Amino acid sequence: MTSDRTSLLPSTLLIGDQRIGTASGGVLEHIHPASGKVQASLPLAGAAEIDQAVAAAQAALPIWRSWDPSERRRALIRLADLFRKHAEEISTIHSLETGMPFTQADWPTKWGIDWLEDAAGWADKLYGDTVPISSQGLFNYTSIEPFGVVATILTWNGSVGAFGMAAGPALAAGCTVVVKPSELSPFGPIRAAELALEAGFPPGVVNVVAGGPEAGEALVSHPGISKIAFTGGGPTAKRIAVSAAQNLTPSIFELGGKSASITFGDADLSAAVAHATFVSVHAGQQCTLGSRMFVHTSVFEEFNDRLASALEAMKVGLPFDEGSQMGPLINQAAMDRVHGLVDRARAYGEVRAGGTRLGGQLSDGYFFPPTLVSGVTNDSELARTEVFGPVLATIPFEDEDEAIAMANDSEFGLSGYIFSSDISRVHRVVPKLDTGNVGVNGAFVTAGPTLPFGGRKQSGYGKQGGLAGVMEFINTKTVTVKLGDPS
Ligand code: NAD
């Protein structure tokens, strides 16, 4: 890493058109996950800056609402174009703040662009209905209105992609946003807000206040917030739900998972193994990771052998080294969690690849290799806990019903994966999986913004993506008009 790269990291918060250089929450010393060293500092928002940001968003709301929807569409497209223009810079910021290999860091940027453009398309295609009950002499219709000021709380692994995914639809619906990125990766969303100003968004429509749990708590309990869009962990979501209850603030919760991947005996094993190697993306710190892998006994050994070889061949490395296929975990706490889970799993499973923190030139960063633990049971700690790291566990099964029952025997319900060449089996199993999304034969469940995405059970509620995702930010008003008799 060179010092000129870190100069790309924004050093202020952005409220309205004010760059905030000192804030009441103190100072964040940001540690680069690949070096374990402080690479930048940033003011952290406290309650005072949250008040200021909500006030700015409230002031901007009537202005943004009054814009013709086609103008909002154009503004979102201009922002997407600026993401495109600054793609290399944004991707570099993402690599710096998360440790993701630079050669992969263009996908969160492209993802952000995609979500903003998709949201732009909806901005001028939202409308209400007319409702015919004319027999009662009434004319009825619904009109749509933006919810108001949205609190957008982000986890660290999405950065600008998550900004587009969470803020784009809200902005298209005419809402203004106060974005609180994770204190672990605050820089990408701040840069996105700077670009929103450049794209001609009125000041206050997009505000980004980096901060930790205190700032988050101040934001979600603020009476000026009309809707909360949260991405993160279940325990945090439950705290937010309690705070939100005080103002009855409606919320969307996009939470974690422990997704099942079922490989039947008739599956294309190459496709199943290739899909599993995507554990490298964000070092397995993905909500949708199919980390509970049910594999039919007839192919269990072969699958484990092939997957172990594929994982062992993967190059874990520094983010800006050419050839790096996987980066580090986000911080020491993640390392302790992941290492602890794998260490304890040695008592009941067989570690077939990885399993120990990496040393050598990677010893200063939080590098843990892609890991396979085979032969665990579905009631083991490793099968029940979201590792949020590069750890896959395989569990053998004998028949379809057993696989479905074990897949559903989880507190989570985010995603599911099926590998089978039998199309009838696929369509038999899909409706039986209690998850919000299912990927078949290697398809990604986060295929794009046109598809609704969200979880069930402890994986949350509410949708992002598609019309359903935009409608989360629309308040419908019902209007009933009594028609007079003809005179
Ligand atoms: P986290 O819950 O610790 O933090 C998420 C965000 O909440 C951060 O911005 C944090 O500062 C904020 N926060 C913390 N305490 C708060 C409080 N009391 N009030 C308000 N805000 C508060 O989660 P994390 O470690 O950043 O992310 C990991 C989790 O996110 C995993 O469970 C992962 O599966 C999940 N995730 C879900 C999705 C999805 O779309 N379903 C996407 C990515 C990650």
Side-chain angles (χ1 to χ4, degrees):
M1 188 193 347
T2 56
S3 56
D4 49 319
R5 285 203 188 100
T6 55
S7 68
L8 295 175
L9 298 173
S11 56
T12 59
L13 312 181
L14 191 65
I15 299 178
D17 55 4
Q18 304 293 308
R19 286 177 167 75
I20 310 288
T22 54
S24 62
V27 175
L28 170 77
E29 303 283 354
H30 190 271
I31 292 176
H32 187 238
S35 70
K37 296 188 175 52
V38 173
Q39 61 177 343
S41 60
L42 185 74
L44 277 180
E49 289 73 30
I50 294 296
D51 278 347
Q52 205 182 330
V54 174
Q58 284 176 316
L61 186 62
I63 302 166
W64 187 237
R65 266 187 77 158
S66 72
W67 276 31
D68 190 274
S70 63
E71 285 300 325
R72 291 205 292 267
R73 166 168 55 85
R74 280 189 273 275
L76 281 157
I77 289 172
R78 284 197 298 275
L79 179 55
D81 284 344
L82 283 173
F83 269 39
R84 204 171 267 119
K85 181 174 162 196
H86 293 273
E88 189 174 340
E89 174 200 346
I90 293 171
S91 303
T92 305
I93 291 173
H94 192 60
S95 276
L96 287 171
E97 61 187 350
T98 66
M100 185 178 219
F102 179 67
T103 49
Q104 296 169 6
D106 58 341
W107 77 253
T109 311
K110 286 181 187 152
W111 187 35
I113 292 168
D114 245 20
W115 276 85
L116 289 173
E117 287 178 340
D118 184 82
W122 283 114
D124 56 358
K125 293 166 197 69
L126 304 168
Y127 37 75
D129 300 307
T130 56
V131 188
I133 26 177
S134 54
S135 62
Q136 296 169 26
L138 300 174
F139 172 63
N140 312 283
Y141 63 93
T142 59
S143 79
I144 57 158
E145 298 175 2
F147 247 99
V149 178
V150 175
T152 306
I153 298 187
L154 302 177
T155 177
W156 64 266
N157 70 349
S159 190
V160 284
F163 172 91
M165 187 173 185
L171 294 167
C175 297
T176 56
V177 296
V178 177
V179 180
K180 196 209 77 63
S182 167
E183 60 278 29
L184 301 174
S185 68
F187 302 105
I190 294 175
R191 187 69 186 115
E194 291 173 354
L195 293 176
L197 275 183
E198 197 179 321
F201 283 66
V205 171
V206 179
N207 309 277
V208 177
V209 279
E214 273 172 46
E217 188 58 49
L219 183 58
V220 297
S221 56
H222 200 292
I225 294 299
S226 302
K227 184 127 192 182
I228 297 165
F230 172 78
T231 310
T236 310
K238 287 176 188 177
R239 279 196 289 279
I240 291 175
V242 170
S243 300
Q246 304 312 308
N247 298 313
L248 292 177
T249 311
S251 310
I252 305 168
F253 289 119
E254 299 288 357
L255 311 178
K258 186 73 196 178
S259 299
S261 160
I262 307 176
T263 300
F264 289 96
D266 57 13
D268 173 354
L269 282 197
S270 301
V273 169
H275 187 259
T277 62
F278 282 101
V279 69
S280 62
V281 175
H282 268 313
Q285 298 160 108
Q286 313 156 29
C287 53
T288 54
L289 186 68
S291 55
R292 228 168 17 116
M293 313 191 77
F294 299 101
V295 183
H296 192 260
T297 45
S298 62
V299 291
F300 190 73
E301 282 313 318
E302 184 185 352
F303 182 86
N304 280 297
D305 288 346
R306 290 174 65 170
L307 182 55
S309 305
L311 297 182
E312 289 286 2
M314 207 169 266
K315 184 168 184 300
V316 182
L318 296 169
F320 294 98
D321 277 4
E322 226 166 278
S324 290
Q325 293 171 303
M326 191 177 110
L329 297 169
I330 191 68
N331 59 14
Q332 183 62 46
M335 176 61 79
D336 294 344
R337 182 186 65 246
V338 172
H339 226 312
L341 279 156
V342 173
D343 288 346
R344 291 190 293 281
R346 290 177 193 277
Y348 51 82
E350 185 188 355
V351 175
R352 298 284 303 270
T356 308
R357 182 177 190 160
L358 295 171
Q361 66 155 353
L362 303 180
S363 57
D364 290 338
Y366 311 113
F367 289 92
F368 195 86
T371 295
L372 172 63
V373 185
S374 76
V376 310
T377 57
N378 197 39
D379 59 1
S380 62
E381 184 191 30
L382 196 58
R384 304 207 84 75
T385 313
E386 182 185 32
V387 179
F388 214 53
V391 182
L392 302 171
T394 50
I395 301 171
F397 73 90
E398 288 287 354
D399 66 46
E400 189 176 303
D401 287 344
E402 182 195 8
I404 294 166
M406 287 199 289
N408 287 337
D409 182 13
S410 167
E411 67 180 44
F412 298 105
L414 190 55
S415 306
Y417 303 90
I418 303 172
F419 293 87
S420 171
S421 56
D422 178 346
I423 193 75
S424 302
R425 186 203 296 276
V426 166
H427 289 295
R428 213 166 41 232
V429 174
V430 165
K432 293 181 182 166
L433 292 181
D434 194 7
T435 62
N437 324 276
V438 180
V440 178
N441 288 338
F444 288 102
V445 294
T446 47
T450 45
L451 296 174
F453 172 81
R456 299 179 182 177
K457 301 195 278 185
Q458 299 293 308
S459 295
Y461 49 78
K463 292 288 179 201
Q464 291 182 300
L467 179 57
V470 182
M471 292 307 286
E472 293 278 5
F473 301 102
I474 291 287
N475 237 341
T476 301
K477 179 175 279 172
T478 305
V479 184
T480 304
V481 182
K482 188 165 183 359
L483 301 179
D485 294 329
S487 51

